[in-house]
Amino acid sequence: MPVEAIAAALLSALIHASWNAFLKGGRDRLTDLGQMAIGGIVFGATLAVAFAAPPLTALPYLAASCAIHMVYWAALLRGYAAGDMSHVYTIARGMAPLLVTLGAAVFAREVPQPWMMAGILLVSFGILSLGFTPAAPLRATLWALLTGVCIASYSLLDALGSRIAGDVLSYKGWGTIGTFLPILLFIVFRRGLTNFAAAGRGRWAIGLFAGMVSSAGFALILWAQMRGPIGPLTALREVTVVIGAAIAAIVLNETVTARRWLAAGVVATGVVLITLAAA
């Protein structure tokens, strides 16, 4: 696995944890999401203008991914409304590595070697342990599980779709517009343009920036997956939950127990195994 692919996956993890903290820490998550949608559309439109449209063979992957993203955003917001970020975020992300690895084995014939598979298992187990809280509301856990299935589904679709397109920037540009434009239209319709603009006062700059960097972060992992195996790189990206736990504790003042920090260590061990196996 190329070093640059590993570095891109880890940078994508940092970006991902940061924008999730923005969404969780806001006063009005629907308005925050609308601001992020505008930032994402600006990012996507810039790429769409600069690069040719993806080939027709990639469009079914784009369409399916955009549809699943609608469910993902709805489930994520519901989960954050029902429980802590450190619970919802980690359970959702913990499901992705194993599900994506299984999907990549079936659809891309990418079966990880034993040590790499052990690392993927440690990452998933550590993340699920990190996020599981027996006292957490059942509703929050169920929304987190649905979010995790969505993450795995669109991650695999976009990894395969970008390979078929042969150009991450073209694929991601159109995919970002297709994902965020329906969300923005729904939010403006639901809130009204004037109320939406007023509700986001004071957070427009950071909201637009969060939307642009979230899209750039996802483009990074797709770029990495064009150069390395889908499953292990997905697992590497999930070091984001360790970063997310730190943000939840330090910035959002959520309680992160010693058990959760121990689980974070398990995730880190899995990341080391994957990296060493890829060397």
Side-chain angles (χ1 to χ4, degrees):
M1 190 189 307
V3 174
E4 60 269 23
I6 295 173
L10 296 177
L11 179 56
S12 178
L14 175 60
I15 292 172
H16 197 276
S18 299
W19 72 253
N20 269 268
F22 162 78
L23 197 58
K24 174 62 179 176
R27 300 181 304 272
D28 182 343
R29 295 188 190 94
L30 196 61
T31 298
D32 289 342
L33 178 57
Q35 293 173 330
M36 287 185 62
I38 295 174
I41 291 169
V42 170
F43 176 86
T46 302
L47 294 182
V49 169
F51 299 92
L56 291 177
T57 50
L59 294 186
Y61 294 86
L62 264 175
S65 174
C66 289
I68 292 170
H69 266 90
M70 300 300 103
V71 182
Y72 161 77
W73 283 110
L76 183 65
L77 289 178
R78 294 278 188 169
Y80 282 170
D84 286 346
M85 174 183 172
S86 52
H87 175 74
V88 174
Y89 182 64
T90 47
I91 287 181
R93 304 308 305 187
M95 298 176 62
L98 282 179
L99 292 178
V100 171
T101 299
L102 177 61
V106 172
F107 295 105
R109 301 294 187 267
E110 293 181 0
V111 180
Q113 55 182 286
W115 280 111
M116 195 171 285
M117 190 66 222
I120 294 171
L121 289 170
L122 280 176
V123 168
S124 284
F125 176 76
I127 294 171
L128 290 171
S129 300
L130 178 68
F132 180 71
T133 305
L138 176 61
R139 180 178 297 180
T141 301
L142 293 176
W143 283 119
L145 292 173
L146 176 58
T147 303
V149 171
C150 291
I151 290 169
S153 300
Y154 74 63
S155 295
L156 183 60
L157 281 167
D158 283 337
L160 297 174
S162 58
R163 287 182 176 182
I164 290 172
D167 183 356
V168 169
L169 296 179
S170 169
Y171 181 91
K172 186 56 185 172
W174 288 91
T176 301
I177 295 171
T179 296
F180 279 125
L181 185 56
I183 291 174
L184 178 61
L185 293 175
F186 170 78
I187 293 172
V188 171
F189 174 78
R190 180 82 176 268
R191 290 290 171 84
L193 182 59
T194 303
N195 291 335
F196 169 60
R201 189 178 294 116
R203 284 171 66 85
W204 276 102
I206 189 173
L208 296 178
F209 181 71
M212 288 187 280
V213 298
S214 70
S215 300
F218 195 45
L220 269 175
I221 190 62
L222 293 180
W223 180 87
Q225 288 169 336
M226 289 186 70
R227 290 156 177 78
I230 296 171
L233 284 167
T234 299
L236 282 180
R237 190 193 186 214
E238 300 315 327
V239 73
T240 184
V241 302
V242 179
I243 303 169
I247 292 174
I250 298 168
V251 179
L252 302 179
N253 296 316
E254 294 182 5
T255 300
V256 181
T257 64
R259 176 181 64 81
R260 286 185 173 181
W261 287 120
L262 179 61
V266 174
V267 174
T269 302
V271 169
V272 170
L273 276 179
I274 294 170
T275 305
L276 291 177

